Structure formats: C-alpha cells, structure tokens
C-alpha cells in the first residue's frame, strides 16, 4: 500500500488487520505485504513486483514477575519475620521472599536493585546485569545518574555502602531503580591479599590493607541495610535483587554464600518502618545460584528463625581461608596471613 509507506504506516491508513493489532494489549506482530503489477514497455510484458513487507508490532504487554517465578525450573519461597517491629505495626508481618531464575530487567516489581560503580557509570557499557539495566533505562536514566553526581555529590563519586534512587525509564518495567555501591570481594579481599607483605621478621607488616579488609563485611551489611531503608522510604511494595554465583565477579562481586547471609540477616535486622514493602525477589540467570541461595535461606529459616532469633555465624572466615590458600603461594606467608586475617574476620563477626 503506497499510502502506508508514504505515511509511515499511520494507523488510519493501515489495513484493518494491522489497525486491530495495534489496539490489542498483547504482543502481536502482523506482516502486511502488497503486490503491484507493472508493465515492461520494451517487451510489453507484465511483471509482478512484491513490495517489501511492513511489520507492525503492537505495544508489548508487561509480564507479571509471578510468571517468571512459576516457570523457573528451581524456585523457593520463604516467609521471613523481622525482629524489629514497632508496637503500632502488625505483629504478624513477614517478608515474602521469592528466589528464582530470571533476568532481573524483565521483572515488573516496583523497584530493582542495580549494583553500580561509584561514578554511576556515565556513558559506560557492559558489566552484565548492570549493563542491561542501563541499556533498558536508556539516556534518561543515564542523565539522571549524571545529575546526581553533578548536583548532589558535587562531582564526587559515591562511597561504598551508599545507595541512591532514580525513577525507571526507557524499557524498564519497574518504577524505581536503587543504585547501590557495595564493597567488592575483589577489591577488599583478593587485591588486599596480593598487597600484603611480610616485614624483616617474617611477620605481617601493618598497613592500610588490613584496615580495609576489616571494613569489608560491615560495609556490605551497611549497603543492604541502606537498600532496605531506601525501599521503605519510597514506599514500594516489591523489591528485586540480582545475584550471581561466581566467587569474584557478577552482581555485587561477592561470594554467594556471603551474599545470602547478608541478605537474610538484613531482612531480619533492619526495622521495617511504616512502608508497604513486603515482597522480596532474588533472581539469578543461573539455576546453580538459585539452588545455592535457596539452601542458605532454608537452613537459616530452619535453624535460626525462632522467637529468640540468633544471628547466624558469618561464612566470611571460611571463605577467607579458601581465598588465602588460593591467592598466597608461599606456605609460611599463607599460614601467617590466614591466622591474622581470620582473626580479623572473627572480630568483625563477633556479633554474628
């Protein structure tokens, strides 16, 4: 249809089948093709010319996150009761926690968590789930992040543990994105191990690396506490976290054992305030990560969720011992590093 082509397929001039497709709320693709007859003057022969198809695609219907949960090969659902409930709140309040395999950017929860860099990625691409969130959020979200750095931070990056919020934009299906700058396992542990040196007496030389390691778990707890507090402040009903099963790398760059521990304990520890937040989704693209997180939450629920709730022991010391064995080649140095840093981990987790 020449008029369709000329008017860029305006709905008024489309065939009725295509117009109906655009008014449908579901995703429907209609291919409209036309043929025209032309006459070759020299040979006086009629030829049929097929005009390239016009593809008309309607607006996509947002798929509710429950569908992804139902279709996940392995999924978990837990009821977690916070211990800090105010007198004027329902004493029966529980978080409804769902762990399942899904791409976080496809979820229509009220808010998504984005593990971001301190400069909020101005113009940067890549980085897995964070990259997909930026790509879906488009220029508007990128500009909003730049505005936060420029106006609210005086062109200074965010510190580890801080959380900021932008409204969702572009093709994201949520309402808000919570950008969290968390301490990373690579920076605070692996790089710290590489930097450790022995003095002339074959003892660990005191340096800033030790102090940095001591701050790792408290800063991680602070990050997730701030995420929950921000979600309460903006009064959302549902919040989704990303997770990856890689020991170093992926969402938050934290071993999944430690990430699961922090997520669970903060849900119990952080006061719920007066907001409506109740649904927590934790998603990963990897079934193995879903399985591992599910086991952690199941063990914690069975062992620690009682009226006299006891904080589980942090897995940091065990993870650190493994990291030391893998990243410190010299046997004597490895022993000294393990002894000192595991003591540090134990002291920082003494309340655990």
């Amino acid at each position: 249809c020449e008029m369709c082509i000329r008017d860029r397929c305006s709905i008024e001039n489309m065939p009725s089948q295509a117009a109906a497709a655009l008014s449908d709320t579901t995703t429907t693709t209609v291919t409209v093709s036309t043929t025209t007859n032309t006459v070759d003057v020299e040979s006086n022969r009629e030829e049929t010319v097929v005009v390239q198809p016009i593809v008309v695609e309607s607006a996509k219907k947002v798929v509710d996150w429950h569908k992804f949960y139902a279709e996940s090969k392995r999924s978990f659902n837990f009821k977690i009761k916070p211990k800090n409930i105010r007198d004027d709140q329902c004493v029966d309040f529980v978080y409804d926690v769902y762990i399942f395999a899904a791409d976080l950017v496809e979820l229509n929860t009220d808010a998504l968590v984005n593990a971001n860099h301190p400069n909020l990625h101005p113009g940067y691409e890549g980085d897995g789930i964070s990259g997909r969130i930026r790509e879906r959020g488009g220029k508007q979200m990128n500009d909003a992040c730049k505005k936060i750095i420029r106006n609210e931070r005086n062109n200074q990056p965010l510190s580890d543990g801080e959380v900021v919020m932008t409204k969702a934009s572009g093709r994201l299906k949520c309402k808000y994105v919570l950008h969290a700058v968390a301490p990373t396992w690579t920076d605070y542990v692996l790089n710290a191990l590489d930097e450790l040196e022995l003095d002339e007496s074959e003892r660990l030389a005191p340096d800033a690396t030790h102090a940095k390691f001591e701050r790792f778990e408290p800063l991680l707890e602070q990050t997730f506490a701030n995420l929950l507090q921000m979600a309460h402040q903006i009064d959302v009903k549902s919040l989704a976290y990303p997770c990856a099963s890689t020991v170093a790398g992926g969402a938050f760059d934290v071993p999944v054992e430690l990430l699961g521990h922090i997520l669970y304990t903060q849900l119990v520890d952080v006061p719920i305030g007066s907001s409506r937040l109740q649904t927590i989704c934790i998603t990963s693209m990897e079934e193995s990560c879903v399985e591992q997180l599910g086991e952690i939450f199941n063990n914690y629920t069975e062992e620690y969720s009682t009226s006299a709730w006891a904080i589980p022991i942090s897995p940091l010391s065990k993870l650190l011992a493994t990291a030391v064995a893998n990243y410190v080649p010299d046997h004597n140095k490895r022993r000294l590093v393990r002894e000192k840093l595991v003591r540090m981990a134990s002291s920082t987790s003494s309340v655990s």
Side-chain angles (χ1 to χ4, degrees):
C1 160
E2 294 180 357
M3 186 176 292
C4 286
I5 299 171
R6 184 178 65 249
D7 293 339
R8 303 181 62 84
C9 306
S10 64
I11 192 169
E12 294 84 4
N13 297 318
M14 285 182 183
S16 59
Q17 183 186 17
L22 280 183
S23 64
D24 192 3
T25 58
T26 60
T27 302
T28 308
T29 301
V30 179
T31 301
V32 181
S33 60
T34 62
T35 59
T36 59
N37 293 328
T38 61
V39 178
D40 188 325
V41 178
E42 294 182 0
S43 61
N44 197 30
R45 184 179 65 213
E46 184 178 282
E47 294 183 349
T48 299
V49 178
V50 179
V51 180
Q52 290 296 326
I54 305 168
V55 178
V56 182
E57 186 170 354
S58 67
K60 293 183 178 180
K61 180 180 179 180
V62 175
V63 178
D64 188 80
W65 67 263
H66 289 89
K67 183 175 185 294
F68 295 101
Y69 171 74
E71 292 178 349
S72 178
K73 293 181 180 179
R74 197 75 175 97
S75 58
F76 301 86
N77 177 219
F78 299 96
K79 309 291 183 182
I80 299 180
K81 185 178 179 66
K83 65 180 182 181
N84 296 314
I85 299 179
R86 295 188 333 210
D87 294 337
D88 60 339
Q89 292 170 324
C90 177
V91 294
D92 295 326
F93 175 88
V94 293
Y95 283 115
D96 218 359
V97 180
Y98 297 85
I99 303 175
F100 57 100
D103 187 349
L104 187 81
V105 299
E106 298 292 343
L107 303 188
N108 68 331
T109 51
D110 289 344
L112 301 180
V113 171
N114 179 26
N116 217 325
H117 283 192
N119 62 1
L120 300 182
H121 285 300
Y124 191 75
E125 296 181 0
D127 288 352
I129 183 62
S130 182
R132 293 199 299 279
I133 290 175
R134 288 196 308 279
E135 189 272 331
R136 290 290 185 94
K139 184 177 183 300
Q140 186 175 347
M141 191 178 78
N142 191 43
D143 289 345
C145 288
K146 289 181 179 179
K147 186 176 180 180
I148 290 173
I149 295 295
R150 182 177 64 250
N151 298 344
E152 299 179 20
R153 304 289 305 185
N154 195 26
N155 291 318
Q156 296 300 311
L158 273 67
S159 301
D160 289 340
E162 289 192 279
V163 175
V164 296
M165 180 272 293
T166 61
K167 290 185 178 180
S169 56
R171 293 179 291 123
L172 288 171
K173 300 171 184 178
C174 58
K175 298 176 182 177
Y176 304 95
V177 178
L178 308 187
H179 305 269
V181 179
T184 66
W185 181 257
T186 298
D187 186 23
Y188 278 74
V189 177
L190 302 186
N191 290 347
L193 290 175
D194 289 338
E195 295 167 5
L196 284 174
E197 295 182 358
L198 300 181
D199 60 18
E200 294 179 356
S201 302
E202 290 300 305
R203 296 181 180 180
L204 284 173
D207 56 23
T209 300
H210 301 162
K212 190 173 186 179
F213 174 80
E214 288 179 303
R215 297 198 310 271
F216 175 61
E217 190 167 22
L219 277 174
L220 197 58
E221 292 172 342
Q222 179 185 330
T223 303
F224 284 88
N226 287 342
L227 279 168
L228 281 175
Q229 289 166 356
M230 177 72 76
H232 288 307
Q233 289 173 13
I234 61 178
D235 204 23
V236 295
K237 293 181 180 179
S238 54
L239 175 66
Y241 293 90
C243 183
S245 62
T246 49
V247 171
F252 288 109
D253 185 6
V254 175
V256 68
E257 301 98 319
L258 184 57
L259 186 62
H261 170 81
I262 298 293
L263 280 168
Y264 194 102
T265 54
Q266 292 307 302
L267 285 173
V268 173
D269 259 356
V270 175
I272 65 172
S274 58
S275 77
R276 300 174 296 165
L277 178 63
Q278 187 167 2
T279 299
I280 305 293
C281 295
I282 306 173
T283 69
S284 175
M285 299 285 283
E286 306 162 75
E287 295 284 349
S288 59
C289 182
V290 171
E291 185 73 32
Q292 194 170 1
L293 274 175
E295 290 178 2
I296 293 169
F297 271 64
N298 187 59
N299 291 337
Y300 280 18
T301 301
E302 290 181 353
E303 296 179 19
Y304 301 102
S305 288
T306 65
S307 56
W309 200 85
I311 299 177
I313 297 174
S314 170
L316 181 59
S317 295
K318 182 179 178 181
L319 291 167
L320 181 63
T322 302
V324 168
N326 291 337
Y327 286 87
V328 181
D330 181 77
H331 176 74
N332 291 329
K333 181 179 177 182
R334 182 190 308 158
R335 177 179 55 79
L336 292 168
V337 170
R338 180 187 292 113
E339 289 174 357
K340 186 174 183 69
L341 296 189
V342 168
R343 281 199 303 273
M344 288 181 180
S346 300
S347 65
T348 58
S349 306
S350 58
V351 295
S352 299

